Amino acid sequence: NRLFIAVAGAAFCVFVEVLLNAVGALTWDYPWWNAGAPWLIFVFGYLTFFLVSFWVFDMPSIRKKLSVLAMIYGVDILALLVFGVALRWI
């Protein structure tokens, strides 16, 4: 069941991230992204990644997979241009 694996994988990743933060091997830079709000890390940090990964993997053709992958890369490149080059936040 893909949904169960996505939820279990996201929960495991949040668990590891909280453990790493507890021993000082991982720091969180934003006050809203921490162990006090693990649901944010679960939903937006890991669950969306697993769900989209399974969705793309299950697509019927390579052409559709590549188009979604190109769209994801396009959004990333646009974000780098806007936030890195134009706004100098990165």
Side-chain angles (χ1 to χ4, degrees):
N1 186 343
R2 297 248 194 248
L3 184 58
F4 173 77
I5 293 171
V7 169
F12 176 74
C13 290
V14 170
F15 175 72
V16 169
E17 193 167 317
V18 170
L19 284 179
L20 288 172
N21 181 261
V23 298
L26 174 73
T27 59
W28 289 311
D29 295 329
Y30 302 106
W32 42 267
W33 191 270
N34 59 31
W39 65 272
L40 281 173
I41 303 168
F42 177 80
V43 172
F44 297 109
Y46 294 106
L47 186 62
T48 53
F49 166 76
F50 282 110
L51 291 176
V52 170
S53 297
F54 292 148
W55 174 60
V56 171
F57 182 80
D58 290 337
M59 286 183 169
S61 71
I62 296 293
R63 184 177 199 143
K64 287 185 180 184
K65 292 178 184 186
L66 289 175
S67 67
V68 171
L69 184 62
M71 182 180 65
I72 292 170
Y73 274 111
V75 169
D76 290 344
I77 291 169
L78 179 64
L80 284 171
L81 291 173
V82 170
F83 296 112
V85 176
L87 297 175
R88 300 178 192 257
W89 287 5
I90 298 174

